[in-house]
Amino acid sequence: MKSMDSYGTYRALAGASQKVHYFSLNALRDKLGSAVETLPFSLRILLENLLRHEDQRSVSAEDIQSLAQWDPSRPSEREVAFRPARVVLQDFTGVPAVVDLAAMRDAIARMGGDLSRINPLQPVDLVIDHSVQVDFFGNANALQRNIDVDFERNRERYQFLKWGQTAFQNFRVVPPSSGIVHQVNLEYLASLVYVNQSAQGGALAYPDTLVGTDSHTTMINGLGVLGWGVGGIEAEAAMLGQPVGFLVPAVVGFKLHGRLPEGATATDLVLTVTQMLRKHGVVGKFVEFYGEGMRYLSLPDRATIANMAPEYGATMGFFPVDDETLRYLRFTGRPEDHIAFVERYSKEQGLFATESTPALRFSETIELDLATVVPSIAGPRRPQDRVPLSQSKSAWRKSLCAFLGNKISDISERDLARWRGDGGQPEAASEAMGVLTKRVPVSLEGTKESCELSHGKVIIAAITSCTNTSNPSAMVAAGLLAKKAVDRGLSAQPWVKTSMAPGSQVVTDYLREAGLLAPLETLKFHVVGYGCMTCIGNSGPVDAAIADAVKQHDLVAAAVLSGNRNFDGRINPSAKANYLASPALVVAYALAGTMDFDFDRDPLGHDAQGQAVFLRDVWPSTEEVTEALRRHIHPEQFVSRYSKILDGPEAWREVPSTAGQVYQWDESSTYIRRPPFFESVEREVSSAPDDIRGARVLALLGDSVTTDHISPAGSITPDSPAGRYLISQGVDPLDFNSYGARRGNYEVMARGTFANIRLQNRLVPDTEGPYTRHLPSGEKMFIFDASERYRAEKVPLIVVAGKEYGTGSSRDWAAKGPLLLGIRAVIAESFERIHRSNLVGMGILPLEFLAGESYASLGLKGDESFDILGIRTGLSAGSRLKVRAGTKEFETLVRLDTPQEVDYFHHGGILPYVLRQMINDAHS
């Protein structure tokens, strides 16, 4: 629809094959001066979005002028209203989003509204990629058997999504076993430039923009598409026409120069970038890459870097459109006429980067010489904890000492230093070292093989995730390494659970054509599915004998994966240490079988002649990888696969579908239940939120608490509150599935809040897991059980935490679950961007300690009774509230960052706000 266009920028696109109009940034530059042409490219796209949506309600001429004349030296206090062209979902976050939409239809019907108002106003694609698990592996039947089990487990969820596809307009479902949402988005869904043929005034061209309910939506930034991850709550609001509001961010310019050296991969590069930017501090900021080093990065390399923006904390990591972007569109089989149109529009708009692009204005700059990147891994707990591969053995031993803590207190520092390699000989002879070097014999189930387990054994090696399986050079390198290893007679170690889960079916095609699929399968890296799998914790069970030995002997076993996250308790309950690595290094670790390994000195094995085989002997050269890419990957592979992507496997086509605008809830369902969030919503807000008095701390947490800690996606144990509930509903523990798959059932998710097995609640300092101490009784119990007791006592609850609270996934249940537990506020030293937004979206008040303060510095123990004062009378964006904890008083910063967020909070969250707006607009 044509906007007001106060600045007169509505133009016809010169040279287009049809009459197409657009809102010209060059015309705006002529009106306002030359500032526009030195804006970062990411802000130019945002500026076009404001220009196109100028109206009296959400975007003003002043908003446009302010952004066009953006001053990088000053933090902006102006909120902008961003309206994405589309929304992408995945099933773990998409199912609860559709559940909410269905419940909102119930609510609007109850209030006499129009059901059709609850409907996406722009295209929404939901890709089912999070459900399938690695139950079967290491054989040719693994893929089909995992698909079969996936449909057995998730049939009810898939029926619900099929209902959603018929009940809602503009809503499309990409079936299971098609690929990972971000890879499908990169290779197929993204258009870079849209043309709305039905716009007022004629066909209208504009940039492809989006938000997605997965934090790694940022992968699409590698293609020059503006977008990022949001919580499901915010995405639902965007679907229903609510703009995504935020303060104009700082933009960090990241200059790249040089080129990657021989042996270094895009994975090594992104781990280096992640470490640098986490140290620099980019939470809530845009990062935009530039510099002559860009010419040496393929688009998949750029997408790898953009993908991990959540890991380095940025809102997004943006690469502007350039010649490499056009090459990638051609490489993936996009139509030639569309590629020509993208080029014409991007150049006309000043959105195409060239060597002659004027120097851009950035808030800050950082730079990296690509030639300094070295092979690396990251772990054992966080993506930013990069370790050069040359130091991996000593780093592992230091990490093991940290894991074992007091258990090695009787070992002398001298012996520990020698064993870690810090000084003297690399091994120590002390008998006390047995706790570090103990070995446990294990007979593997279902085989005649046996092995010895010890600390550091790699029990999972997974080629997985959108981050690296989307990168042909990374996957081909893994295949070439496997081929060389097989040619030398090497095998994966028998205790390692191996798997390969590509993010696109095209990967299988080019690996097979290159003759690299067979050697990977020889090393038992068979394709186990097309989905996120191990990277999101769907690693499936390890050998039962291994799991028992790890638990009984308290071994610190490891997982190595080509993923983007390795948080505590995420990958597998038996793997306490988790490392991120390139696909080729995943294969290498499967051969080595242990983290206690020096790839320079220790052989991977011996060939038939008894000669030692080292990593350097099987590592592929850049020339070998390039030649394989040139010969065996072509656009027809992409065209062929994506031409039938919406068909899905036969099992999907057999899933029955129901019709009707209103969903018929099944009260006996343990997967899909009507959520309680809208039951009490009326047309008007009855009263303003009141002060919080007499609150108790449900969880006292440290730094870097992730959304996996708050709302785990993995396995449900029978003795947990969620497990007890499912058993009470007649569900056999074998059919529990995962928390992620049960996100359509609020009863499970409330009980699963803070259910991570690695949670460290300092109210119970000697305990790991989902426990707390009820106050003032002091009784230790499950967090959910304590919340129920507090509810009966009418006691409000809060969470108190350290830095980077809510890092990681964008899961909205990390805010929905706490709300259902009765949590009214979270006080932390700092918040990650998406989780803070999710808290606001659910009506939970995010508060920050003032700079330099923390609960430790204030002497808080967590057993105090808390009052949070001034909510009713003094709440505004960025204001301060007084907190009284026992005898102590201190101020906190209100992290409602905009007036719009204050409105959301007063309404009890975004969705009640939107629902009331729809009802009242219809009756005005």
Side-chain angles (χ1 to χ4, degrees), residues 872-894:
R872 175 175 282 274
T873 59
L875 194 65
S876 60
S879 62
R880 294 186 178 188
L881 293 181
K882 181 187 291 186
V883 178
R884 183 184 300 127
T887 60
K888 299 180 175 66
E889 287 190 358
F890 57 96
E891 285 193 324
T892 57
L893 176 67
V894 174

Side-chain angles (χ1 to χ4, degrees), residues 850-861:
L850 299 186
E853 294 185 348
S854 65
Y855 64 78
S857 72
L858 293 168
L860 303 177
K861 304 298 182 186

